[in-house]
Amino acid sequence: MTNPSLKRTIDPRAKEKFRIFIWTLFDFANTSYSIVVVTFLFAVYFKQTVVSGKPIGDFYWSIGTSVSMLITAIVSPILGAIADYSAGKKRFLLFFTLLCIISTALLFFMEEGTVFTALLLFITANIGFEAGLVFYDSFLPEITAPKNYGRVSGYGFAMGYLGSLTTLAVVFPFIKNNLIKESFPVAALIFLIFAIPIFIFLKDTRKEVARTQSYLRIGFDRVLSTITHLRNYKNLAIFLLAYFFFIEGVNTVIYFSGNYASTTLKFSMEELIIFFIIVQTTAIIGSLIFGVIADEYGQKKALILSLAIWIFTIIIAYVTSDPKGLLIETLSGSFSVGTEELTRYSFYFVGLLAGGVMGATQSTSRSLMSRLTPFDKKTEFFGFYSFFGKSSAIAGPLVFGTVSYFTGEQRIAILTICIFFIIGLAILSFVKEPVAES
């Protein structure tokens, strides 16, 4: 028989910390998919093996990313309605999680020439990953108080980057032994193992909301309502437009960085591992530093700084990726290093810069969005924020892949990313940041 006094001695803060830890574990889990499939191994494997290294591989890859994000963007409002009105979020989260895990594991069977099947599996896995985030994010208000949303959300980002580093460490022996295909089911297994706790320990605390309409109708009504309300919040609308453009640049970097390093710079798998370790490590550091900058000097200034660094990073990536370029030849003569070798070394520096602002841009955008959004409409407008983020991942990769295909050079295509950051930065300059409360 349980002693009632033991129940009374349980510290509520300890219970909250436990819930937060379990919640962030899912972020740790799902990054095994994003780092292995989206950013690194399968992205490179698809280009080099499935499409036999042909330039059209970038175009196919961009089609896959754009289609998956388009579908997710379209269904997101409906999924958001389910998350708000249903007490069964875990069921939907489980469905999309398993969809991603199973599709990722099946990538093991992809080989040269299986372009359509490989794209179909990637699209399915990416929909599962992105759609699952709608339900995962909706747990945040249930595990902590509003005053801790930013901090707890940051913990999730940090755990995600830690998950990426851990996954890279696990799959490194497979990469070293040229067992690339075997890394896909390994990533799926890591996702499965670390996702299990959220389904066991977190409970749906929201009660089913009475409704007289279908979720489909509720989803469409919410979108129309948000658009109507958005007209009354010009400052917020300007920010969302800026966000659409600069987050497009971030998404394109995530989807094509691995392909760019392997195709244009001829990185080996070991070099790619080192590159992504640098990116993930500096992402953790950058998120912490920019969190301090945002608190001390304001979210808008921190965001502007991160976008300026992004633009500088893309330009550096462009000018240093040409071994015959003036800068590389000058530096090569000064440091007595071969131009090809110096080109690869330069991209490590690019990875350091990109990692430093990758998480910072996303987290600072979310915190600025929180300040711009009316308190009584946070759920409604954050649903639109999510919609902009997902739909923005359509054009960027598609433009990059198309330019790469028709020019035959990824180096030219990389400049398109810079354009998105410049447009986003220009629009962001018109956003008025609310005065901080004392």
Side-chain angles (χ1 to χ4, degrees), residues 34 144 168 193 314 327 356 363 416:
S34 61
T144 190
L168 287 175
I193 291 173
I314 298 301
L327 178 61
S363 60
T416 63

Side-chain angles (χ1 to χ4, degrees), residues 2 154 236 343 393:
T2 305
L236 181 59
T343 296

Side-chain angles (χ1 to χ4, degrees), residues 20 36 73-74 112 227 251 259 290 318 376 431 438:
I20 292 171
V36 168
I74 292 172
E112 186 174 2
I227 291 174
N251 287 327
N259 265 331
F290 270 84
Y318 173 78
D376 59 340
V431 174
S438 56

Side-chain angles (χ1 to χ4, degrees), residues 198-216:
I198 198 172
F199 300 106
I200 297 176
F201 297 106
L202 280 195
K203 303 189 183 304
D204 288 316
T205 58
R206 291 182 182 179
K207 296 181 180 179
E208 186 82 29
V209 179
R211 58 187 177 90
T212 57
Q213 297 175 314
S214 68
Y215 286 128
L216 183 65

